[in-house]
Amino acid sequence: NKNNYGEDINDVAKSMALVKQYTGELDPSKLKSMTENGIAMRDVFDMDLSETIRGVDVLIGEMGVSSEEAFDLMAKGAQNGLDKSGELADNIAEYGSLYHQAGFSAKEMFTIMQNGLDSGAYSLDKVNDFVKEFTISLADGRIEDNLEKFSDGTQTLFKQWKAGKATSKDVFRSVINDLATATNKQEMLTLASDTWSALGEDNAMDIITSLNKVNSTYDEVKGTMESIKDIKYDTLEARFQPCPCLQQLQKEQPLHRLYLIQYVMRTRLF
């Protein structure tokens, strides 16, 4: 039913079991909320439920956000086209740990992905691979071998990074700023090629230099998931149609209705 969560009660039960399997969540109210959100992402954006939950679990476990913020970020990303190639949740699951280790927050990760796609990247994987390749170039000596070609600021940050006093993110930001502000485009291309061994796309430089752009898209995401559910599903009670208690629910005052809804949730879903 288009007004309800899931195709039927069995679909909801299977979805809930999947959420519990991936997240290990035992709190009934949190499990219910995450299941609703996962089903909504599937119904609205055609995102695979298991991949969505895997992505959310990484955002929670690696990036330190709440399940509510994780879903809000994911929903905002989907609204803004981050899932256009069907890989948003999968990329979060794959690269979330990398971003965290480099010092990026969840919002910064989404901003980088958005900037990359907006500047012409054909897939999220390509954007995230630029970040991954940079962290590798920090570790394998490519940045250090070419350090004198970068700005004084980048050289200082790199030395601080080696001493454990700066993050990979700090160096990343500084290197991209050097490339974006370079006056000699050929030198910029050579330096970028030394940093990213295979630039690949013709517009690779546009994508790379865009990753630092200020983008407020993910500054205020709170409530995104709830607003999507409000639009998709008419009412909470609609989930239980046909339900013998529905007429009684409609007659009751709001507070009593809430208690009755909670009772139905416990008896029908748990």
Side-chain angles (χ1 to χ4, degrees):
N1 189 317
K2 67 182 177 62
N3 296 321
N4 300 340
Y5 289 98
E7 297 171 3
D8 53 36
I9 198 69
N10 291 323
D11 179 36
V12 174
K14 288 178 181 177
S15 299
M16 191 169 289
L18 192 66
V19 172
K20 186 177 180 181
Q21 175 188 335
Y22 276 115
T23 66
E25 184 57 69
L26 298 176
D27 184 314
S29 64
K30 291 181 180 179
L31 193 58
K32 167 182 162 292
S33 175
M34 293 178 76
T35 302
E36 287 181 357
N37 290 341
I39 290 174
M41 295 295 286
R42 182 191 69 187
D43 290 353
V44 176
F45 301 111
D46 198 28
M47 292 176 64
D48 181 79
L49 179 63
S50 61
E51 288 185 0
T52 297
I53 298 304
R54 281 179 58 234
V56 165
D57 193 44
V58 168
L59 287 173
I60 295 169
E62 294 285 349
M63 309 297 279
V65 302
S66 66
S67 63
E68 292 81 7
E69 186 177 0
F71 274 107
D72 281 339
L73 284 165
M74 190 95 75
K76 179 67 78 172
Q79 282 182 330
N80 284 284
L82 289 190
D83 196 51
K84 67 179 183 179
S85 54
E87 56 181 351
L88 173 58
D90 186 58
N91 263 240
I92 292 169
E94 180 179 352
Y95 292 100
S97 178
L98 173 81
Y99 273 93
H100 170 66
Q101 291 169 7
F104 292 100
S105 68
K107 286 184 179 181
E108 287 171 330
M109 176 174 69
F110 274 82
T111 298
I112 285 173
M113 291 192 294
Q114 190 71 57
N115 284 340
L117 278 194
D118 288 350
S119 63
Y122 65 83
S123 71
L124 268 190
D125 194 64
K126 189 62 180 178
V127 178
N128 290 321
D129 201 48
F130 279 133
V131 180
K132 179 181 178 180
E133 180 74 9
F134 180 82
T135 62
I136 293 172
S137 72
L138 264 180
D140 69 11
R142 269 177 283 163
I143 296 290
E144 189 165 21
D145 289 344
N146 293 280
L147 195 58
E148 75 283 353
K149 299 175 185 176
F150 291 100
S151 68
D152 291 343
T154 295
Q155 293 180 40
T156 298
L157 279 171
F158 178 80
K159 291 169 185 174
Q160 290 176 343
W161 171 79
K162 284 198 73 174
K165 297 178 180 178
T167 64
S168 299
K169 178 186 80 172
D170 297 329
V171 186
F172 177 84
R173 297 284 197 206
S174 190
V175 164
I176 290 179
N177 185 63
D178 288 351
L179 296 175
T181 56
T183 53
N184 187 315
K185 298 303 179 186
Q186 187 53 53
E187 284 183 11
M188 178 180 71
L189 278 169
T190 302
L191 196 52
S193 296
D194 290 337
T195 305
W196 288 273
S197 54
L199 291 179
E201 298 178 61
D202 292 338
N203 61 341
M205 286 309 305
D206 292 335
I207 297 168
I208 290 170
T209 54
S210 79
L211 302 183
N212 255 2
K213 287 182 179 176
V214 175
N215 187 330
S216 61
T217 303
Y218 299 95
D219 287 353
E220 299 293 338
V221 299
K222 188 175 182 180
T224 303
M225 193 74 243
E226 286 303 315
S227 66
I228 286 171
K229 290 192 292 186
D230 287 345
I231 294 169
K232 176 65 180 176
Y233 310 105
D234 290 348
T235 62
L236 184 60
E237 296 97 312
R239 185 183 335 176
F240 308 110
Q241 294 177 342
C243 176
C245 61
L246 186 59
Q247 290 181 345
Q248 181 66 27
L249 279 173
Q250 292 170 335
K251 293 176 184 177
E252 295 290 345
Q253 294 298 314
L255 186 59
H256 294 160
R257 290 175 68 191
L258 176 61
Y259 291 147
L260 283 170
I261 289 169
Q262 290 174 335
Y263 170 76
V264 173
M265 290 298 300
R266 287 195 300 271
T267 56
R268 288 180 70 93
L269 286 183
F270 297 101

